Amino acid sequence: MKKRTLYMIGNSHIDPVWFWDWDEGLQEVKATFASALDRLREFSEAKFTSTSSAFFEWIEAVAPEMFEEIRARVKEGRWELTGGWFIEPDCILPCGEAFVRQGLYGQRYFQEKFGVTCRTGSNVDSFGHNSMLPQILKKSGMDEYVFMRPRLDTPVFVWESQDGSQVNAISLPSEYTTWFYEPTKEAVEMSDEAAKKAELSSMACCYGVGNHGGGPTVENIRAIYRLREEKPELALPFGTYREFFDGMTQEERENLPVRREFFERVNTGCYSMDSVLKKTNRRTEGRLFTADLMISMAAVFCKKPVKKSRKETMKDLWKTLLFNQFHDTLGGTTVKPARDEAIAQMTGAGAGAKKLWTACMQEMMGQLNTRGEGFPLILFNPSGRDYDGPMAAELNWFCKDGLILKDPKGNEIPYQRVHTTAKVRNYNIGGRRGIVFHAHVPALGFAVYRTFVGESDLCCDSRESGGAKLEGCVMENECLRVVFDSSGALCSLYDKKNGFEALSGPVTFPLWTDERDSWGGDQGRPFEPRGESLSFESLELVEKGDLRQVVRACYRLGGSVLRQDFILYRDADYVEVTNRLFWDREWQMLKMEFPLAMAEKKVWREAAYQSVCTSVQDGQEYSMHRFVDAVGPDGAGLCIANDAKYAFSMEGNRLCFPVARSAIYAQGNGVNWYNPIEGYEYTDLGKQEFTFLLSPHGKGLSNRDRYRLAQAAGKPLLYTTDCRHAGGKSLTEWSGIQISAPNVELGCIKAAEDGDGLVVRLFETEGKETSGTLKLGGKSCTFKASPYEIVTLLFDGDAAPVPVNLLEEGC
């Protein structure tokens, strides 16, 4: 009888950040790789498997001789490069483009430095895995995927994404870390049992010391020699993931079960852990998108290739973000000093992005002829769709002068004067002017508005309209009616056009005792309602004008205060809610709960380059990105977009959002772990700000509408004033892109890694086979998208645009 084979895979899952900061992580990588090389010299059979191109960049920079020895071992076949990504990130919370960049930068580095394209993706410790990964992996050159969380009853299977892309996957049946003989023996026995149950002739089995590094030890290797003698029924070769996958028989491959799942709800506390960190990640992603799009817009408009320095800077900024999307970092489970460093790094990347897009705005403006009456106010739209909606701007304007606003066609348009962020009052010299108006700006383009000195009959001044204390009120436009009851609670969101009420009662803010650990483990300690909530304090009118109304509601419990500004624009199908929260409750969670009018419901929510329809379990927390839409059988429901949050739950008929969670930093489960004399720091204490857009809809929304709301929550437009100057282009409006298919969204536009071209990424949102036309600048092409497919096109010089994979290689 043929022996079952367990490929003993020497590895070290390394956390570059966890209970330590990245500089200690660098040293642990250096020490681990040195130890791995020692084992390869000492034991001729031994092999080592590793991930994360970021680690090799470190070694190349600080230990070049070690780097060269690793290259030799890779060429020899005894050092396996897997993962193909820059780092092992959280695999649920980052945006879709972040996963693409992980592979783009990781695989290209491995190709350049080692002549290797990794075929096996590996994220053994990440807290769940989003359902678009098979497509992203496949289009990044990978055929397999290895993970450990969650552990499945099918340890080897075919994982299929929405578009039909497939990778063979392992859900490791044993831990990736083994310290001594007993853990190594346990890993062998667990892997053997999993292979038996799955009726497989082989299985991958990891050994080695990890987390803070270490790799295979001498004791590990001697344990394997000993186990060979103790378990003669097993073959225990030192091996690699590549050998395991290649060693599967054709029959085994054909009989693998197929799973089409979003592997989430692993460490669900990480979805709501540390609001400031989460918002910083979302904001930085948005700023990097904006910079890439503005760089591309400037290249198209100015008809010049992207400067090499800008390409390199953008790559460095993305890699800074990617590094800080490591699963323990973005999940919020690191020590506070490492978390603070991550926020500093991500904030710096966002600031660097703004420097780039500001330079691009100036380049484009420099080519415009802005001479003429009035002063240019130029709006830029770095997105793939035309923008029609409200615009708030603040201008430097002499305090005694009136202001007239005209659109790009020269027509005077209405605006509403509002308070400025600067609170100094100017009565004789200087001055600022805050205005709100309805704007139209073409996709990936700009529109030139003009301001004139003079009194406008189309201006309404809402600065003195506020101050009234309210006992309930109604806000209303042609689309919506928003009602607050006499207790000050939001109690009605009514879609007037479709005659639909989304709420069945008032929105509430209950508190929960939340003594779960950082990951969301309950430790046997309480996670339960406290029977108390924020109480209504005041409702007052802030602004009332022709273009928008603003009502402020305040709620309080002890020292915790929530101030909500409800902003209803004249033509909007949503009400914008800006939330300013001061939170002072340790080991407690604050929720915002919307009681829904629909009895039966399902939920649509955004994930990485996809919109996922979810049947939710009552009371369980789920992940989301920028929107969640709870709908009834007829499609009617309530869509809520946001700019900072990642978690929601359904509890009965209530759509719930944890908006503050004051858990202890880096606190896990253990015996007698709690000792108050140590002193603990809690997340979310202090101030935070976030925005919700609430859109009740009496008929089903398309995903296009949901993405529109998500973009609106992120305030997509940029603006600047300009002086009057000569230029070669007398334009008042310009669009850089048109996408014909309404079910296709723009993912990103970026400078190509090779050459002077631009890469355009699209994704299909409705599950439809689609043909469409894409126009970028003066060049058009047709494209085809399978249901839920990510499509990448390369525009390069005079050549016809061509499809490429996510590594920007020809398909």
Side-chain angles (χ1 to χ4, degrees), residues 7-9 11-13 49 51 82 88 120-126 129 145-157 169-178 186-187 190-192 194-195 203-207 240-241 244-245:
Y7 292 96
M8 302 304 296
I9 298 175
N11 82 111
S12 179
H13 165 69
T49 290
T51 70
T82 64
E88 294 184 36
T120 304
S122 180
N123 289 297
V124 294
D125 199 36
S126 298
H129 309 268
Y145 191 55
V146 180
F147 64 92
M148 190 185 71
R149 306 179 195 278
R151 285 204 177 107
L152 305 176
D153 55 3
T154 54
V156 185
F157 61 98
I170 307 175
S171 169
L172 290 173
S174 64
E175 290 286 335
Y176 53 75
T177 291
T178 62
E186 182 180 2
M190 291 176 67
S191 300
D192 183 37
M203 183 59 65
C205 181
C206 293
Y207 73 95
T240 62
Y241 289 124
F244 164 73
F245 282 113

Side-chain angles (χ1 to χ4, degrees), residues 111-277:
Q111 290 169 346
E112 177 187 351
K113 303 297 181 178
F114 298 94
V116 170
T117 299
C118 296
R119 290 177 55 194
T120 304
S122 180
N123 289 297
V124 294
D125 199 36
S126 298
F127 311 147
H129 309 268
N130 76 78
S131 56
M132 190 58 87
L133 285 186
Q135 181 178 179
I136 293 172
L137 291 164
K138 200 76 175 179
K139 291 188 173 184
S140 302
M142 286 175 267
D143 301 310
E144 299 102 18
Y145 191 55
V146 180
F147 64 92
M148 190 185 71
R149 306 179 195 278
R151 285 204 177 107
L152 305 176
D153 55 3
T154 54
V156 185
F157 61 98
V158 176
W159 190 20
E160 184 175 284
S161 55
Q162 284 179 305
D163 71 306
S165 296
Q166 293 184 337
V167 293
N168 291 335
I170 307 175
S171 169
L172 290 173
S174 64
E175 290 286 335
Y176 53 75
T177 291
T178 62
W179 287 76
F180 310 112
Y181 167 76
E182 287 299 332
T184 306
K185 178 182 177 182
E186 182 180 2
V188 165
E189 291 174 347
M190 291 176 67
S191 300
D192 183 37
E193 185 63 26
K196 285 180 187 176
K197 288 184 178 180
E199 298 182 350
L200 295 173
S201 60
S202 63
M203 183 59 65
C205 181
C206 293
Y207 73 95
V209 179
N211 292 343
H212 196 267
T217 64
V218 171
E219 186 170 351
N220 283 152
I221 294 172
R222 288 175 176 166
I224 293 170
Y225 288 145
R226 178 178 167 185
L227 286 166
R228 285 177 177 176
E229 295 177 358
E230 294 177 359
K231 296 181 178 292
E233 73 278 10
L234 296 176
L236 301 175
F238 294 96
T240 62
Y241 289 124
R242 176 81 278 120
E243 289 174 303
F244 164 73
F245 282 113
D246 288 349
M248 293 179 65
T249 68
Q250 185 63 30
E251 182 181 3
E252 287 174 334
R253 292 175 185 278
E254 292 172 353
N255 290 328
L256 289 177
V258 177
R259 301 187 71 146
R260 303 174 182 88
E261 294 168 64
F262 194 128
F263 296 119
E264 63 171 337
R265 299 189 56 249
V266 178
N267 299 341
T268 55
C270 293
Y271 305 158
S272 55
M273 183 71 174
D274 197 341
S275 297
V276 173
L277 174 70

Side-chain angles (χ1 to χ4, degrees), residues 689-724:
E689 297 183 5
F690 55 96
T691 298
F692 280 3
L693 302 189
L694 314 178
S695 182
H697 52 94
K699 62 179 183 179
L701 292 183
S702 66
N703 278 325
R704 183 172 181 81
D705 285 325
R706 297 182 180 112
Y707 282 106
R708 171 180 59 84
L709 290 168
Q711 288 188 345
K715 304 294 184 186
L717 296 188
L718 307 174
Y719 73 92
T720 187
T721 56
D722 196 8
C723 57
R724 291 173 292 205

